Amino acid sequence: VQLQASGGGLVQPGGSLRLSCVTSGRTFSGYNMGWFRQAPGKEREFVAGISWTGGRARYSDSVRGRFTMSRDDAKNTVYLQMNSLKFEDTAVYYCAREKLLKRLTIPLNDLEYGYWGQGTQVTVSS
């Protein structure tokens, strides 16, 4: 299983970016997916997750209302639309596929995710 994240970059505060993450092979459908981030000197943290059906999503308190996660199973891809970006959103963003097939809840703990993309840098700066 390989995950390839893209879409990061440099953006001014208040701006927007859309991250994408493509998963290889027939290893996408049926799995909850997540986005995490890690800022310099900080631990990796949960940002958003989406259910394997695509019908539910959950967000960290820090991004709720600004970020939207979605998925396109036909393209084996998840997206993270990030609006109203703040300085504190600066981090390396990672997409991940969780370990269990068709789990009913979206896990927040990164230990529940078994496959990770390489990360894409998001820098919010004026």
Side-chain angles (χ1 to χ4, degrees):
V1 178
Q2 292 187 329
L3 289 77
Q4 181 73 35
S6 62
L10 175 64
V11 63
Q12 293 185 339
S16 298
L17 282 175
R18 189 177 81 153
L19 306 184
S20 300
C21 176
V22 181
T23 303
S24 64
R26 295 182 294 176
T27 57
F28 182 79
S29 295
Y31 291 92
N32 298 325
M33 299 291 294
W35 284 100
F36 290 75
R37 68 186 180 187
Q38 187 167 22
K42 295 187 177 181
E43 293 186 353
R44 187 165 59 190
E45 64 172 352
F46 174 85
V47 175
I50 192 165
S51 65
W52 60 271
T53 65
R56 289 179 293 112
R58 62 189 309 183
Y59 302 92
S60 67
D61 290 342
S62 61
V63 308
R64 188 176 296 111
R66 300 187 297 121
F67 291 11
T68 302
M69 186 172 181
S70 60
R71 65 188 293 157
D72 184 341
D73 281 31
K75 297 181 178 179
N76 288 354
T77 301
V78 291
Y79 305 95
L80 186 67
Q81 177 66 43
M82 305 187 295
N83 298 328
S84 302
L85 283 161
K86 304 176 180 180
F87 292 118
E88 52 263 42
D89 294 319
T90 295
V92 178
Y93 284 71
Y94 299 90
C95 59
R97 198 210 79 179
E98 79 140 300
K99 296 176 181 177
L100 297 183
L101 180 66
K102 296 184 179 180
R103 190 200 304 249
L104 296 180
T105 58
I106 302 168
L108 303 180
N109 192 323
D110 59 358
L111 295 177
E112 301 295 340
Y113 292 80
Y115 300 93
W116 294 83
Q118 85 288 2
T120 184
Q121 176 71 48
V122 172
T123 302
V124 184
S125 175
S126 55

